[in-house]
Amino acid sequence: MDRRKFLGYTAIGLGAALGGFTLWNPAKGGRSVAAKAVADPNFVPDVEIALTAQPGKVQIFSGQATRIQHYTAKVLKGPAETVQTIENSYLGPIFRLKTGQKVRVHFTNQIDQETIVHWHGLHVPEVADGHPRYVIDKGETYVYEFTVANRAGTYWFHPHPHGKTGPQVYSGLAGLFLVSDDEEQALNLPSGAYDLPLVIQDRTFDAHNQLMYLTGGMMQRMSGFLGDRILINGRPDASFDVATNVYRLRLLNGSNSRIYKVAWSDGTPLMVIGTDGGLLEQPLSKPYVMLGPAERIELWADFSKYAVGDAPKLISVPFDGAGGMGMMGGGMMGGGRRGSAPANGSGFDLASFKIVKKESSNRSLPTVLSRIPLADSAQAVNANKPRRFVFAMSMGSATINGRTFEMTRVADDEIVKLNTTEVWELINGGGRGMGMMGGGMMQMPHPVHVHGLQFRIIERTTGSGWNSMKDGFVDEGWKDTVLLMPGMRAKILLRFEDFTGLFLYHCHNLEHEDMGMMRNYLVEA
Ligand code: C2O
Ligand code: CU
Ligand code: CU
């Protein structure tokens, strides 16, 4: 008996209801055709952007340029500052928007694979969320229309075609989506050159400066791709010239699977002011911060105590428990190196900040940054009976509650009601059915992400490597991704509002996601 619902026909109704946004053709088997979205004539955008994914070349090292794929964008309507290009980088332009702005994005695919853009962290309607069933082919255009509903924060966008998200992000397709609002503006935080986004990614290049991806076969897919070079904003050996002043650093872990334990090289505590879903209620001083794939933190970086010539660094400090295959204990994959890439949990430099200029600053850190409602599980319809989702790896498969991704299906336990609040318990369940390979082999971190909303973390248990990372979780604010180490569980509080339809939840280790560690949940009216 099939307990699952087939949602294909629902999509027809919805497409029609939304003025022909997209059509579903069951005969084509599990993907949308005619995904060319038609703009709603009644939607009047404040900002209109043409966004294109296309192949290109960028000079990352001396010698041969690196072939990449990247997003380029043009403002068709609205403030020119909405789109800000990063010089000499494969990274997509930075979108700068304000809460309440109505946005129309005409996304055109000029790469050789199907693709679609997802706005990571944004609260948008189903048809604007970049679900893989909306992929478009080369030459096609998908039109997104949504109102920026999120509060001020550091969000981002990246491809989301099923099975190809990892390689497409790796090839260079990703960009930041920065939102500001009145509450944030009133704080007068560092801005302009003092508002510095840092997208952290790891990459491996061959002798001709070309990107190499997953050359290590199935074992490498299962642990997730790990590169041997750290790039910040698409540049290796990143160094920023700064003044003796205060900076707002926005860190995004845009890596496919690498986790960072971020700290200042001289032991200065990190002053954390924001996370995935924007500013915290109050600044939080941390010895270091754990940053899993897709997670963001914002730092208040005060360089005023340094002298010109100093060069403090952001580094990633070694930690335990992310060994993946290393958990096998010894042997060739247990030694912490696969190919030449350092294992997850290795230490290295991220970026240095060269103090080049004396400046006097009168900025002081606000004691209150924003208001965040109390995360009260009593609001949940299932406070005493959380929905449980177990993320597990076994040889060649990556599952959630034993299931892998199905394009348009949800199971009974993946259907939620609009305008309700729920508690979900996300469990890193390690491996199963290892047989002779030994029980712990497939234990690896799973950074779990839920689409369409920001949630709160109400409980986190310990897990592998706990003692080396326990002071580095920032669970206080709004989140869309939670890093679960092997054996770790987190309870999150989510509210489903405004939009019905199919949304994704998945592991944001992009290789795990591509292997199918991704599912739909359905918000029903
Ligand atoms: Cu960055 Cu489906 O997510
Ligand atoms: Cu997302
Ligand atoms: Cu995972």
Side-chain angles (χ1 to χ4, degrees):
M1 216 203 353
D2 192 358
R3 293 164 52 243
R4 293 166 301 196
K5 271 193 177 173
F6 184 64
L7 292 163
Y9 295 98
T10 314
I12 286 189
L14 188 65
L18 286 165
F21 243 100
T22 184
L23 292 173
W24 173 255
N25 181 352
K28 280 273 178 131
R31 59 163 285 196
S32 59
V33 292
K36 254 178 252 162
V38 177
D40 172 0
N42 299 317
F43 182 91
V44 182
D46 304 308
V47 180
E48 200 160 357
I49 299 166
L51 177 70
T52 306
Q54 62 192 108
K57 274 185 176 181
V58 56
Q59 198 73 45
I60 299 177
F61 303 103
S62 60
Q64 272 187 52
T66 305
R67 286 186 300 278
I68 47 96
Q69 299 186 110
H70 62 156
Y71 290 122
T72 57
K74 212 164 80 202
V75 179
L76 304 176
K77 180 185 175 187
E81 325 71 87
T82 303
V83 163
Q84 182 191 330
T85 313
I86 305 180
E87 274 315 308
N88 206 9
S89 173
Y90 57 75
L91 276 182
I94 299 172
F95 286 11
R96 288 187 178 268
L97 290 145
K98 292 199 187 70
T99 305
Q101 275 180 324
K102 289 192 163 143
V103 184
R104 179 181 287 152
V105 179
H106 304 256
F107 169 62
T108 302
N109 177 7
Q110 292 297 0
I111 66 170
D112 287 328
Q113 278 180 343
E114 59 183 23
T115 191
I116 192 73
V117 178
H118 166 58
W119 316 98
H120 181 120
L122 293 191
H123 180 55
V124 295
E126 175 191 43
V127 286
D129 190 52
H131 189 282
R133 73 191 186 286
Y134 296 136
V135 289
I136 54 170
D137 287 324
K138 189 175 186 176
E140 292 185 316
T141 294
Y142 193 97
V143 180
Y144 296 83
E145 289 173 340
F146 56 88
T147 302
V148 179
N150 287 62
R151 63 202 290 266
T154 303
Y155 309 94
W156 63 302
F157 58 97
H158 61 77
H160 222 301
H162 181 49
K164 303 184 189 79
T165 297
Q168 289 190 9
V169 171
Y170 186 78
S171 76
L173 293 166
L176 285 166
F177 193 110
L178 307 183
V179 175
S180 75
D181 62 17
D182 294 344
E183 181 189 52
E184 180 215 35
Q185 292 285 294
L187 290 173
N188 197 21
L189 295 172
S191 62
Y194 302 90
D195 175 356
L196 196 55
L198 303 171
V199 180
I200 311 171
Q201 296 175 312
D202 58 335
R203 295 287 184 268
T204 297
F205 298 89
D206 69 13
H208 308 287
N209 298 339
Q210 302 310 310
L211 288 164
M212 295 172 72
Y213 180 69
L214 286 189
T215 50
M218 183 45 87
M219 295 306 266
Q220 197 185 32
R221 279 195 72 146
M222 285 193 298
S223 60
F225 174 87
L226 294 167
D228 61 8
R229 301 278 314 226
I230 299 297
L231 279 72
I232 304 287
N233 300 341
R235 312 298 307 163
D237 308 312
S239 170
F240 299 90
D241 289 351
V242 295
T244 55
N245 209 330
V246 180
Y247 287 74
R248 175 185 191 173
L249 304 182
R250 304 173 186 250
L251 276 61
L252 158 66
N253 181 351
S255 309
N256 284 31
S257 83
R258 190 176 286 286
I259 300 163
Y260 304 94
K261 179 179 173 180
V262 181
W264 287 111
S265 53
D266 61 2
T268 303
L270 296 176
M271 191 56 75
V272 183
I273 58 171
T275 54
D276 301 350
L279 294 171
L280 294 171
E281 195 145 39
Q282 287 143 14
L284 210 60
S285 174
K286 290 275 185 185
Y288 55 84
V289 167
M290 299 302 297
L291 201 63
E295 287 187 301
R296 288 86 73 201
I297 51 163
E298 295 194 22
L299 302 176
W300 174 271
D302 187 352
F303 297 120
S304 63
K305 68 171 180 181
Y306 295 103
V308 169
D310 288 351
K313 284 187 290 199
L314 276 179
I315 57 174
S316 186
V317 185
F319 59 93
D320 308 320
M325 308 307 165
M327 302 290 286
M328 238 164 107
M332 131 194 170
M333 281 165 296
R337 290 181 86 80
R338 267 177 296 277
S340 58
N344 225 345
S346 308
F348 31 75
D349 291 354
L350 298 175
S352 59
F353 298 85
K354 247 196 256 156
I355 315 293
V356 296
K357 190 164 135 213
K358 189 104 194 108
E359 263 179 22
S360 55
S361 156
N362 48 11
R363 259 180 223 287
S364 56
L365 179 60
T367 50
V368 176
L369 296 163
S370 74
R371 290 277 164 230
I372 294 184
L374 198 70
D376 182 5
S377 62
Q379 302 156 352
V381 293
N382 64 342
N384 302 316
K385 213 174 150 285
R387 242 175 243 272
R388 302 175 82 211
F389 297 101
V390 180
F391 293 73
M393 290 293 287
S394 58
M395 188 55 93
S397 89
T399 59
I400 306 172
N401 283 352
R403 310 173 181 114
T404 57
F405 185 60
E406 295 170 282
M407 192 61 84
T408 54
R409 282 166 191 251
V410 287
D412 288 346
D413 60 5
E414 294 173 314
I415 301 172
V416 301
K417 274 249 161 276
L418 186 68
N419 295 322
T420 63
T421 300
E422 291 204 3
V423 180
W424 287 9
E425 185 174 24
L426 308 171
I427 301 166
N428 184 330
R432 62 188 169 88
M434 288 316 126
M436 61 180 199
M437 304 292 287
M441 186 191 130
M442 299 299 168
Q443 297 207 353
M444 50 192 74
H446 299 301
V448 176
H449 169 50
V450 183
H451 276 223
L453 49 79
Q454 293 285 327
F455 56 75
R456 305 291 298 283
I457 298 174
I458 53 178
E459 198 182 304
R460 183 196 290 270
T461 69
T462 63
S464 295
W466 180 247
N467 284 328
S468 66
M469 63 183 65
K470 62 181 188 322
D471 297 321
F473 293 107
V474 186
D475 291 346
E476 278 77 2
W478 290 103
K479 294 284 291 172
D480 57 49
T481 306
V482 53
L483 174 62
L484 295 182
M485 297 302 290
M488 192 179 268
R489 300 163 176 242
K491 283 192 186 149
I492 63 171
L493 188 69
L494 329 80
R495 180 154 179 87
F496 310 100
E497 42 188 14
D498 303 319
F499 310 120
T500 54
L502 271 193
F503 293 90
L504 299 164
Y505 66 104
H506 61 87
C507 178
H508 218 289
N509 174 318
L510 297 183
E511 287 69 44
H512 293 181
E513 174 182 340
D514 283 346
M515 284 173 71
M517 193 178 263
M518 173 159 79
R519 293 286 303 175
N520 292 309
Y521 72 94
L522 174 67
V523 184
E524 266 185 353

